[in-house]
Amino acid sequence: MTANTAANAPAHKKYPNLFSPLDLGFTQLKNRALMGSMHTGLEEVEGGFERLAAYFAERAHGGVGMMITGGISPNEEGSMGSEMSTPEHAEGHRQVTDAVHAVDPDIKICMQILHAGPLAHTPTMVGPSAVPSRLSRLIPNELDEAGVQKQINDHVNCTKMAKLAGYDGVEIIGSAGYLLSTFLVEKTNQREDQWGGSYENRMRFPLEIMRRCRAEVGENFILIFRIAAMDMLQGGMSWDEVVLLAKEMEKAGATIISTHFTWHESAVPTIATMVPRAAFSGVTGRLNKELNIPTITSNRINMPDVAEQVLADGDADLVSMARPMLADAELVKKAFEGREDEINTCIGCNQACLDHGFEGKEISCLVNPRALNETFLNYEPSTAPKKIAVVGAGPAGLAYATVAAERGHCVTLYDAGSEIGGQFNLAKQVPGKEEFYETLRYYSRMLEVHHVDVRLNTKVCAEDLKNGGYDHVVVATGITPRTPEVEGIDHPKVVSYVDVIRGNVAVGKKVAVMGAGGIGFDVSELIMHKGVSAAMDKEVFAREWGIDFTNHPRGGVTGVVPQVEAADRQVFLLQRKSTPVGRGLGKTTGWTHRMSLAKRGVQMMNGIEYNRVDDQGLHISIEGVPQILDVDTVIVCAGQVPKRALYDELADSSIATSLVGGAYEASELDAKAAIKQASELAAAV
Ligand code: FAD
Ligand code: NAP
Ligand code: SF4
């Protein structure tokens, strides 16, 4: 279906497509912005529904047209934590649906039904065949005929309970390696009965679920089917199979087709920050042309202009922005009011959302620690405004200054550098991390909106602060890179990552990177990089990860050989620990960084003892056996130590002083921790 602007409504000047309603026949969506499904884990926590209600209500106030909840299982065997199968379950969800409809009865909220199949967190998990997922490696119990019928009945019952709970519809997930998708693909469906074999038989299970759910709830209830439009599996679904399934879903009663672009076990990044914006929407566009019902597109659509373009191109009727609305509940409202420069943009890091989800922790957002904490982390006006100096305009200082100023405090923000951002000014230069510019744009605007007095190029000392008449000083001076105690560390071939990223030093052809944390990986990526960043160019991205958007072979990837351009260099990425290199990186993105470096020929080595650096290179030992890495540059990426001299110098003063970010704790410190800690302190001052 092609996007249609409602004839009578005056079109929004800048985003005419995004702000046009969508007629679903029995009901209307007020605009084309959708908050897609994200698992929060809160359904299982005491008081979780109250927090979920506040979270969804805040997004409803933010102007979104429709929202989808995190995945809820129809039964115990499909569960990843939460289940909807009884009226008692429905009762809990009532808090959420009532809260959303109280904001605006026209805003729709649908519940996602997620039967995890072989990815369920239970020994009773089931699948069409006893084939383990590459992720969980656990073997599901093969369903017999009665078992198949039970799964269908449970989906129907779950839909009925969702309606009872006040939802406007459900989204049934048929992708990602969860139960329904495992019926569709030969690798996981090896049955020879009516549920396996031919594609017609393999489609039968999801289609039967759709048909029976529609029959149960009648016409006036939204039923969305989430299809793997490109599953990224070698030997996955062909394009013809995708189209046939979508068309049959339309006949079976689906109101909307939502496109998804992965199985979790596929080896292609689809939502990480290195993925270009709206990279996959063209695939939705092709499917859109085949259908009479609306389609939803998704993945790395994080700003309103991107959403508008996708709609204007006719690639979809609705645009899903899930993480972007975690990052900023008011994204849609700000776009409507022409305040795009105030949007706190999702940078695709996954650090506080998906990584937490996969680790079984509560999710939130790196750039917005209020996300899912709306009931207790609030930036209320101060009853006793103070005069506050914040020293350091890195993420910690920026978060503190903007939150304190928003609350009415009078804030002066100092930085020794010529621009705000601290280490984010290094991070943004790493290929694949271009989104970090957005966070700096956001903070820059917030400093203006909240009237923070910003003093750049100003290195502050304790005397300045003591004489400044401040009620409160916040030391956010960050870190100093650690210099390891290794013989020859002052040799001319040894350089710091700061100088390498800033381009202050020449890097040779043979390089050892000492330290394989996040920064060691980023620096290796930077020095091995050649040409345009894949994050900025869909064709480069497709080439590097072996995707064929044009011909759509099975899964989009079958038989496509990745082609990576790399700098003419030999790089050794080293760590002392004997654990696999990169193990400490983010759960959902670490593998992409490891693969990216491996494709560029970086040699990752663990269990290293550093002996010395001299004209010959870097002398190391592995399991006591000495060897020389004949390198011309050694880049030190060996972590950091807090830079807190200023705080110590203020110890004898009577000014209340706080220490935040890297200056407080450098080990394990990242921007997620820095922004969260600073925001919480500023909310309480
Ligand atoms: P900083 O960012 O170090 O800021 C401190 C500021 O204080 C600086 O601007 C400095 O000029 C100023 N300052 C110091 N002394 C004075 C003084 N006396 N007077 C005035 N100003 C002073 N984290 C993540 O979570 N995810 C990532 O993907 C990520 N990638 C990174 C990539 C790279 C290449 C780098 C270098 C870091 C990355 N980080 C990442 C880490 C993240 O940037 C830091 O954790 C974060 O910047 C720490 O914030 P901070 O405000 O405490 O300190
Ligand atoms: P880090 O993650 O703590 O890594 C430091 C590295 O240095 C480790 O490999 C450590 O491993 C090594 N090391 C520590 N002490 C050493 C010593 N004395 N001599 C030699 N090697 C030593 O820190 P970072 O890489 O500097 O990153 C700083 C922060 O930014 C981290 O919190 C990180 O999470 C964050 N960051 C995140 C990302 C991301 O993509 N999420 C990217 C960049 C940075 P061994 O001790 O085993 O040698
Ligand atoms: Fe986006 Fe990162 Fe926030 Fe997740 S944690 S919503 S990826 S900015």
Side-chain angles (χ1 to χ4, degrees), residues 341-676:
D341 55 355
E342 294 179 25
I343 292 174
N344 196 0
T345 306
C346 166
I347 58 174
C349 66
N350 285 359
Q351 285 177 242
C353 53
L354 261 83
D355 284 350
H356 281 206
F358 277 89
E359 287 162 10
K361 296 185 198 159
E362 283 181 13
I363 74 167
S364 186
C365 172
L366 179 143
V367 298
N368 173 22
R370 283 197 66 247
L372 285 151
N373 297 321
E374 289 83 358
T375 50
F376 51 86
L377 180 57
N378 284 302
Y379 307 148
E380 306 288 356
S382 166
T383 49
K386 292 187 170 73
K387 187 176 172 194
I388 301 176
V390 178
V391 186
L398 288 168
Y400 195 104
T402 51
V403 171
E406 179 182 343
R407 297 187 51 229
H409 295 293
C410 172
V411 181
T412 306
L413 174 65
Y414 296 97
D415 201 288
S418 59
E419 55 186 345
I420 63 158
Q423 293 174 69
F424 261 35
N425 290 310
L426 301 177
K428 74 188 185 190
Q429 292 181 55
V430 175
K433 287 193 152 175
E434 293 80 0
E435 291 286 1
F436 282 56
Y437 279 97
E438 294 285 6
T439 304
L440 300 179
R441 183 264 309 144
Y442 165 75
Y443 276 123
S444 177
R445 180 69 186 127
M446 286 300 107
L447 294 171
E448 288 172 3
V449 167
H450 300 303
H451 308 294
V452 175
D453 179 4
V454 181
R455 312 257 180 103
L456 297 175
N457 301 306
T458 310
K459 184 164 184 195
V460 175
C461 65
E463 284 316 303
D464 301 332
L465 297 167
K466 286 177 189 168
N467 298 329
Y470 295 108
D471 303 314
H472 197 111
V473 168
V474 179
V475 177
T477 45
I479 51 85
T480 306
R482 178 184 286 122
T483 305
E485 288 182 15
V486 176
E487 189 186 329
I489 199 74
D490 51 357
H491 191 279
K493 62 174 63 175
V494 181
V495 296
S496 138
Y497 68 84
V498 177
D499 285 327
V500 171
I501 299 175
R502 289 206 176 124
N504 294 339
V505 291
V507 177
K509 294 273 184 200
K510 293 182 188 169
V511 182
V513 177
M514 194 186 269
I519 292 178
F521 267 80
D522 278 354
V523 165
S524 302
E525 184 76 40
L526 179 78
I527 62 173
M528 284 309 287
H529 190 79
K530 190 176 174 192
V532 180
S533 165
M536 306 305 286
D537 187 319
K538 205 174 110 174
E539 282 174 20
V540 176
F541 171 73
R543 254 200 320 274
E544 285 196 3
W545 291 96
I547 307 165
D548 183 346
F549 283 116
T550 312
N551 300 308
H552 202 127
R554 283 194 173 274
V557 294
T558 305
V560 187
V561 180
Q563 292 171 359
V564 175
E565 272 201 290
D568 178 21
R569 265 201 181 106
Q570 187 182 15
V571 173
F572 302 94
L573 176 58
L574 313 172
Q575 72 175 27
R576 299 173 302 176
K577 288 186 285 289
S578 53
T579 50
V581 174
R583 164 136 321 158
L585 300 177
K587 185 112 178 145
T588 62
T589 53
W591 63 273
T592 62
H593 297 302
R594 286 190 293 271
M595 275 181 79
S596 177
L597 292 191
K599 285 181 194 177
R600 288 175 167 77
V602 172
Q603 280 172 260
M604 295 171 238
M605 298 164 72
N606 57 7
I608 302 288
E609 190 185 331
Y610 304 114
N611 299 331
R612 66 179 184 284
V613 185
D614 61 20
D615 291 346
Q616 284 183 298
L618 175 62
H619 296 249
I620 58 169
S621 301
I622 302 177
E623 293 182 346
V625 181
Q627 56 171 287
I628 306 171
L629 298 179
D630 166 25
V631 294
D632 39 33
T633 309
V634 176
I635 307 175
V636 178
C637 302
Q640 295 104 9
V641 291
K643 189 176 174 188
R644 61 163 71 132
L646 194 58
Y647 181 76
D648 296 337
E649 285 161 27
L650 288 168
D652 63 351
S653 89
S654 57
I655 311 171
T657 311
S658 309
L659 198 53
V660 294
Y664 172 77
E665 173 61 89
S667 82
E668 304 280 309
L669 186 274
D670 57 13
K672 177 180 73 175
I675 292 174
K676 180 171 188 289

Side-chain angles (χ1 to χ4, degrees), residues 172 203-219 223 225 244-257 293:
I172 301 169
M203 279 193 306
R204 194 184 304 279
F205 180 71
L207 285 173
E208 195 58 23
I209 287 174
M210 180 57 73
R211 248 181 239 119
R212 302 231 337 244
C213 287
R214 175 54 77 205
E216 171 64 39
V217 292
E219 288 305 309
L223 292 180
F225 183 73
L244 183 62
L245 177 62
K247 287 185 167 178
E248 291 299 315
M249 278 291 163
E250 180 176 341
K251 287 187 212 156
T255 322
I256 301 172
I257 297 290
I293 53 174

